[in-house]
Amino acid sequence: MKELPIPPHFDATSASRIWRVPYQERAIGARAWACRHDLRPAAQDRFRICLMPIDVQNTFCLPEFELFVGGRSGRGAIDDNVRLCEFIYRHLGIITEISPTMDTHTAFQIFHPSFLVNDAGENPAPLTSVSLEDIDSGRWKVDPAVAGILADGDVSALQDHLRHYCRALAEGGKYQLMIWPYHAMFGGIGHALVSVMEEAIFFHGVARFSRTGFQVKGDNPLTENYSVLRPEVMEGADGMPVADRNEGLIRKLLEFDAVIIAGQAKSHCVAWTIADLLNEIEHEDRALARKVYILEDCTSPVVVPGVVDYTDDADRAFRRFSDAGMNLVRSDMPLAEWPGLAVPEAT
């Protein structure tokens, strides 16, 4: 479990901006780095580790974008990504696969302003929380024009789904429907990996002959998808399925010898993904929780000063994960100190 040096191309100060990754230069450097440090192809790993960076995209990771995750420090995702990149570079030789999740949205989705209107025809402002009572009272309702896009013009059916959705969230112990700013728009700059992470992931893939396992989530217009493993609501008001669990990824993660999780935001997509993974583990074998490692210093909660602060919610969730047997670790901890991690010296 020997740590490697940080490659000379890495610039921690670049974590707060967008720039073009010089792929050819990095690819040449990655192969040379692999030769210098005797890095074997990932397919030869005897102990297989998956790193899952959750939603390390511009929309969440840069201050000028819509949903920058600043945490209470105001620099959350920026500092998280510096630490996560350094972790990747130091442990290139043992990370078998990196599977980044990609929050992926379009304009007309249940959590975007365009979906709802009030009696005056106005859309809710971003960061408006919508309860079942708000729907039943008529404060917010489906924009009839959206029904033409998503429900073949059946406004009543889409309104029934909205009411059912808010009820299902409440009954499932989930966050209320939040109207988010338009973010992670498919094909847009905000959807892309933040440059410093894109570079590190690309470098890893070439150095280890490892195929990056991108995971798209969040493109279903009728449900939020904080977790990459399953949507917030899976059935419509008529009992018919509106979305599915990510069975392929669930099985894939459970087959790795260790799964390391980091990313944004600790209170939402990270917490719900881990919660769903824990649920799958508890249905299969509770002992599997011990092979999950959460990089506590590479994730931050949603905090909008004076509006919302999910820090305490996130901390409670992480305590529950730890109590269930998952491992809360830091990126600067020597892997030899990680509980139960037994990586062979030659992988």
Side-chain angles (χ1 to χ4, degrees):
M1 292 190 284
K2 179 183 176 182
E3 290 190 2
L4 301 178
I6 305 295
H9 68 257
F10 176 65
D11 176 9
T13 66
S14 70
S16 61
R17 58 186 174 84
I18 293 175
W19 41 275
R20 184 186 67 82
V21 176
Y23 299 118
Q24 183 63 19
E25 181 180 341
R26 290 294 169 269
I28 293 171
R31 293 307 309 139
W33 197 254
C35 290
R36 183 182 310 175
H37 296 285
D38 193 26
L39 302 182
R40 301 182 183 184
Q44 296 180 18
D45 287 358
R46 289 185 288 131
F47 189 93
R48 300 177 65 251
I49 297 175
C50 177
L51 171 65
M52 187 162 62
I54 294 176
D55 298 0
V56 288
Q57 299 161 268
N58 289 325
T59 202
F60 303 110
C61 295
L62 297 181
E64 65 268 31
F65 278 81
E66 306 86 0
L67 282 175
F68 172 60
V69 182
R72 287 181 175 170
S73 73
R75 286 184 51 87
I78 297 172
D79 294 337
D80 293 340
N81 286 334
V82 170
R83 289 185 284 264
L84 184 54
C85 285
E86 291 175 343
F87 178 85
I88 291 171
Y89 289 128
R90 289 199 307 270
H91 303 295
L92 278 176
I94 65 165
I95 299 173
T96 308
E97 179 179 312
I98 301 179
S99 292
T101 71
M102 303 291 291
D103 211 30
T104 304
H105 301 315
T106 54
F108 299 103
Q109 295 193 257
I110 198 167
F111 47 82
H112 274 159
S114 57
F115 199 91
L116 302 178
V117 291
N118 58 18
D119 287 337
E122 301 164 331
N123 299 128
L127 302 181
T128 297
S129 182
V130 178
S131 67
L132 178 59
E133 182 181 355
D134 291 329
I135 303 304
D136 287 338
S137 69
R139 180 181 181 189
W140 297 113
K141 53 194 173 185
V142 170
D143 187 330
V146 174
I149 302 171
L150 302 179
D152 295 323
D154 192 337
V155 179
S156 178
L158 198 56
Q159 185 69 26
D160 285 345
H161 175 75
L162 176 63
R163 181 178 294 106
H164 164 79
Y165 185 82
C166 290
R167 180 183 297 110
L169 292 179
E171 292 176 350
K174 296 181 176 291
Y175 293 134
Q176 283 187 343
L177 171 60
M178 176 67 77
I179 303 303
W180 296 109
Y182 298 105
H183 67 286
M185 300 298 286
F186 186 46
I189 296 173
H191 182 257
L193 292 174
V194 69
S195 300
V196 73
M197 287 301 310
E198 179 190 5
E199 179 182 55
I201 291 170
F202 178 79
F203 191 86
H204 168 270
V206 175
R208 295 294 319 282
F209 285 96
S210 175
R211 187 174 184 178
T212 303
F214 289 101
Q215 299 292 325
V216 172
K217 70 178 180 69
D219 55 349
N220 189 307
L222 298 180
T223 177
E224 179 63 276
N225 221 132
Y226 295 131
S227 167
V228 69
L229 301 182
R230 59 174 292 159
E232 292 295 277
V233 174
M234 295 181 62
E235 293 182 351
D238 58 2
M240 298 299 290
V242 297
D244 296 318
R245 297 158 72 246
N246 192 337
E247 292 282 0
L249 180 58
I250 291 168
R251 300 318 319 165
K252 175 180 172 179
L253 292 177
L254 293 180
E255 289 170 1
F256 275 96
D257 296 300
V259 176
I260 304 171
I261 300 175
Q264 306 307 329
K266 178 180 179 180
S267 52
H268 287 72
C269 297
V270 173
W272 287 121
T273 294
I274 298 171
D276 284 341
L277 181 58
L278 178 58
N279 184 60
E280 297 295 333
I281 284 172
E282 289 180 335
H283 277 86
E284 183 157 329
D285 180 358
R286 293 189 176 210
L288 294 174
R290 293 196 293 268
K291 72 176 184 178
V292 179
Y293 298 84
I294 306 167
L295 291 174
E296 280 197 288
D297 61 335
C298 296
T299 182
S300 295
V302 170
V303 177
V304 181
V307 181
V308 293
D309 185 337
Y310 288 100
T311 302
D312 293 340
D313 300 78
D315 290 344
R316 279 192 294 272
F318 273 43
R319 285 195 294 271
R320 182 168 71 87
F321 303 148
S322 177
D323 290 344
M326 293 179 170
N327 303 281
L328 304 185
V329 294
R330 293 182 56 83
S331 63
D332 56 359
M333 285 176 59
L335 294 191
E337 297 178 9
W338 285 27
L341 192 68
V343 183
E345 285 299 324
T347 58

